[in-house]
């Protein structure tokens, strides 16, 4: 038994007894269902957290990572050592430039490593259906086909072969709305100030 001060007397009064919860009051089926839902949410989160890449993007990032962690580190270490030989480091522009280069390179290495550790290589969709890896040409409702814009639906690290094609994230409002659309479809998406419609003129997979 514990005691708490009384609001009406100067002495303590006993606190009410604490009773144990009866097992009959607990619905174990509900608890088990809750655990299953939590597990499903965690699985879904892990799946969403993956970096979905085309095979070409994965191969390019892997090659860049291998190059930076070998030749890149050796080269920048050589530049730093040569700059040290020039003397006073406070006024040594070559030394500070080499250290900056090293910092940027190590940042890029960590970025690529994080992507590759959680990467999923996706299969390109069939031509005619918009999916990850699709190059889609769209035109906004009311515009002529000559005003069409082309996008590659995919990860920011994707590199379209055509410089006129921009990368669009599949998680963006328009990117998400386009997934699964077919040539000729009108697609509606939520823009910041209004709902907009675009027409899918063509969609092909980047090889």
């Amino acid at each position: 038994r514990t005691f708490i001060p009384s609001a009406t007397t100067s002495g303590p009064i006993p606190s009410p007894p604490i009773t144990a919860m009866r097992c009959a009051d607990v619905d174990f089926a509900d608890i088990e269902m809750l655990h299953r839902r939590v597990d499903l949410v965690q699985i879904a989160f892990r799946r969403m957290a993956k970096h979905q890449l085309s095979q070409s993007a994965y191969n390019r990032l892997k090659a860049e990572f291998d190059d930076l962690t070998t030749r890149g580190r050796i080269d920048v270490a050589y530049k730093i050592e040569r700059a040290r030989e020039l003397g006073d480091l406070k006024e040594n522009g070559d030394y500070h430039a080499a250290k900056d280069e090293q910092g940027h390179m190590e940042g890029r290495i960590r970025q690529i490593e994080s992507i590759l550790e959680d990467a999923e290589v996706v299969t390109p969709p069939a031509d005619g259906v918009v999916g990850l890896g699709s190059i889609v040409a769209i035109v906004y409702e009311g515009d002529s086909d000559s005003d069409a814009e082309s996008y590659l639906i995919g990860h920011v690290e994707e590199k379209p072969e055509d410089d006129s094609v921009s990368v669009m994230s599949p998680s963006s409002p328009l990117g998400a709305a386009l997934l699964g659309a077919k040539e000729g479809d009108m697609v509606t998406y939520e823009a910041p100030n209004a709902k907009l419609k675009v027409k899918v003129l063509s969609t092909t997979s980047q090889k």
Side-chain angles (χ1 to χ4, degrees), residues 67-83 98-99 101-102 105:
D67 178 64
L68 291 178
T69 53
T70 52
R71 179 205 58 79
R73 281 175 169 165
I74 293 173
D75 285 354
V76 77
Y78 177 75
K79 291 179 181 179
I80 292 173
E81 186 59 30
R82 288 295 302 270
K99 291 294 288 184
E101 180 182 347
Q102 184 185 48
M105 185 184 69

Side-chain angles (χ1 to χ4, degrees), residues 171-185:
S171 61
S172 67
L174 178 54
L178 285 170
L179 293 177
K182 299 179 180 179
E183 293 181 0
D185 285 354

Side-chain angles (χ1 to χ4, degrees), residues 59-206:
N59 293 343
R60 176 172 47 76
L61 287 174
K62 182 65 167 61
E64 183 182 356
F65 179 80
D66 292 342
D67 178 64
L68 291 178
T69 53
T70 52
R71 179 205 58 79
R73 281 175 169 165
I74 293 173
D75 285 354
V76 77
Y78 177 75
K79 291 179 181 179
I80 292 173
E81 186 59 30
R82 288 295 302 270
R84 285 181 182 277
E85 296 174 357
L86 299 177
D88 186 7
L89 298 183
K90 291 183 179 179
E91 304 296 330
N92 192 328
D94 289 344
Y95 174 78
H96 292 294
K99 291 294 288 184
D100 286 344
E101 180 182 347
Q102 184 185 48
H104 289 303
M105 185 184 69
E106 291 299 328
R108 177 60 175 165
I109 288 173
R110 289 192 297 272
Q111 180 185 37
I112 298 175
E113 185 176 31
S114 175
I115 293 173
L116 294 179
E117 285 179 347
D118 199 20
E120 176 187 4
V121 176
V122 296
T123 302
D127 288 348
V129 180
V130 180
L132 294 173
S134 292
I135 297 178
V136 56
I138 60 172
V139 63
Y140 282 86
E141 184 180 35
D143 291 348
S144 64
D145 290 359
S146 61
D147 296 321
E149 302 172 3
S150 294
Y151 297 95
L152 170 62
I153 308 297
H155 195 276
V156 66
E157 290 289 348
E158 298 287 350
K159 299 292 184 184
E161 297 175 355
D162 186 343
D163 292 338
S164 66
V165 176
S166 302
V167 176
M168 179 183 293
S169 170
S171 61
S172 67
L174 178 54
L178 285 170
L179 293 177
K182 299 179 180 179
E183 293 181 0
D185 285 354
M186 291 294 296
V187 174
T188 302
Y189 75 99
E190 290 281 353
N193 298 319
K195 286 187 177 181
L196 299 178
K197 289 186 177 181
V198 298
K199 181 179 181 180
V200 179
L201 298 181
S202 66
T203 174
T204 57
S205 295
Q206 176 166 267

